[in-house]
Amino acid sequence: MAEAVVKVANLHKRFGGLEVLKGVDFEVDRGEVVVVMGRSGSGKSTLLRCINFLEDPTAGTIEVGGIRLEGGHRTRNQRERIRQLRIKAGMVFQQFNLFPHMTVIENVIEAPVRVKGETAKDARTKGMALLDSVGLAEKADEHPIRLSGGQQQRVAIARALAMEPDVMLFDEPTSALDPELIGDVLGVMRKLAEQHMTMIVVTHEMGFAREVAHRMCFFHEGDILEQGTPDELFNHTKNEETRRFLQAVL
């Protein structure tokens, strides 16, 4: 029986009077790659940001790697559990979010040393192996400004992997990249999928979704309107909204 790494139940998120997530139920099994797609403003990125508590859920429950938290007002005794949950949920953003004053390797080892208490020597050894796996070992001592956008995003992936997360969350990881750089980032993500990394990917890269995803979820107005295998959604969609969206992005 498959083991669910991420469990989201009745997730609501409001920003003032605007309800962005409307009771989302969502699970991801270990080793599964789930692509979340939908129009701008449908709630996709908010879902990811609630899963790792960059946004406080208004209501509902979130569980990642056995760490379970209730939505609602963040309390003092939740802070440590939020920290534990974030260790298990690596996040890759649209805009890389690397520390500009640190070298590439310093960016990668910062969290393992500060958050997990690893020695700098051990973290560096592991960090160099991760940089090698994304094809950037030779850039270890460069600063991010010296790297292309695609290289910075690959460093960001290595940085997230350095925490040995249970799941990787990708929030439109190629949307800020020039077209010729997208392939390098998607190549790293394909390799992670082949290594059975659990991944939730918000993206409009439908070729990647068709090739790599085990399951696709179409988000519409704050909830999952339809989900299924790539074949089911691309070739046998049951919903007119899903069909219109796919026609627009393909």
Side-chain angles (χ1 to χ4, degrees):
M1 185 174 171
E3 174 196 359
V5 175
V6 177
K7 300 178 184 177
V8 173
N10 195 32
L11 178 64
H12 291 261
K13 177 61 183 178
R14 293 184 189 87
F15 295 98
L18 179 65
E19 189 173 30
V20 178
L21 299 178
K22 302 175 180 177
V24 177
D25 293 304
F26 180 70
E27 290 194 359
V28 181
D29 290 337
R30 187 168 299 282
E32 190 177 19
V33 178
V34 178
V35 165
V36 179
M37 59 181 183
R39 297 180 183 87
S40 295
S42 59
K44 314 178 300 294
S45 294
T46 303
L47 170 68
L48 292 193
R49 293 175 67 84
C50 284
I51 287 173
N52 74 351
F53 278 77
L54 284 173
E55 298 285 356
D56 289 334
T58 305
T61 60
I62 291 171
E63 183 176 324
V64 179
I67 305 293
R68 186 174 184 272
L69 285 161
E70 297 282 341
H73 184 66
R74 186 183 296 185
T75 59
R76 220 174 252 277
N77 64 350
Q78 276 190 303
R79 287 180 190 159
E80 175 57 23
R81 290 182 66 75
I82 289 170
R83 189 187 74 84
Q84 292 171 7
L85 182 145
R86 285 179 178 158
I87 289 173
K88 293 174 176 289
M91 185 88 170
V92 178
F93 301 88
Q94 294 179 39
Q95 296 292 344
F96 328 135
N97 289 5
L98 299 176
F99 297 115
H101 63 288
M102 293 183 178
T103 65
V104 163
I105 188 63
E106 286 169 348
N107 267 278
V108 172
I109 71 173
E110 174 76 359
V113 171
R114 281 185 176 269
V115 178
K116 294 181 77 174
E118 294 182 15
T119 68
K121 181 181 178 183
D122 287 348
R124 185 179 176 91
T125 299
K126 188 170 71 178
M128 287 302 298
L130 286 168
L131 287 175
D132 186 54
S133 75
V134 300
L136 289 173
E138 78 283 359
K139 302 290 187 182
D141 296 316
E142 298 278 9
H143 283 80
I145 197 169
R146 309 263 309 185
L147 274 55
S148 71
Q151 289 171 329
Q152 289 187 56
Q153 193 62 295
R154 285 185 279 153
V155 172
I157 293 171
R159 178 179 63 178
L161 290 169
M163 293 295 283
E164 300 176 326
D166 284 20
V167 59
M168 287 281 283
L169 311 175
F170 291 89
D171 187 7
E172 300 198 35
T174 61
S175 65
L177 301 179
D178 293 332
E180 67 268 23
L181 302 177
I182 290 172
D184 291 340
V185 172
L186 293 180
V188 170
M189 294 169 66
R190 281 190 191 92
K191 190 158 71 171
L192 289 177
E194 289 165 3
Q195 295 166 352
H196 308 293
M197 169 59 72
T198 311
M199 298 159 63
I200 306 172
V201 185
V202 171
T203 186
H204 292 303
E205 297 290 340
M206 293 297 103
F208 171 84
R210 192 190 294 268
E211 181 185 344
V212 176
H214 298 103
R215 177 161 48 106
M216 298 176 67
C217 298
F218 177 60
F219 243 69
H220 181 67
E221 296 181 354
D223 205 352
I224 297 169
L225 188 62
E226 186 175 5
Q227 60 181 310
T229 66
D231 178 63
E232 286 168 341
L233 264 67
F234 283 120
N235 301 319
H236 308 286
T237 179
K238 301 177 179 69
N239 191 283
E240 184 59 31
E241 285 288 348
T242 312
R243 186 177 296 111
R244 280 206 297 265
F245 174 79
L246 288 171
Q247 286 173 347
V249 297
L250 289 173

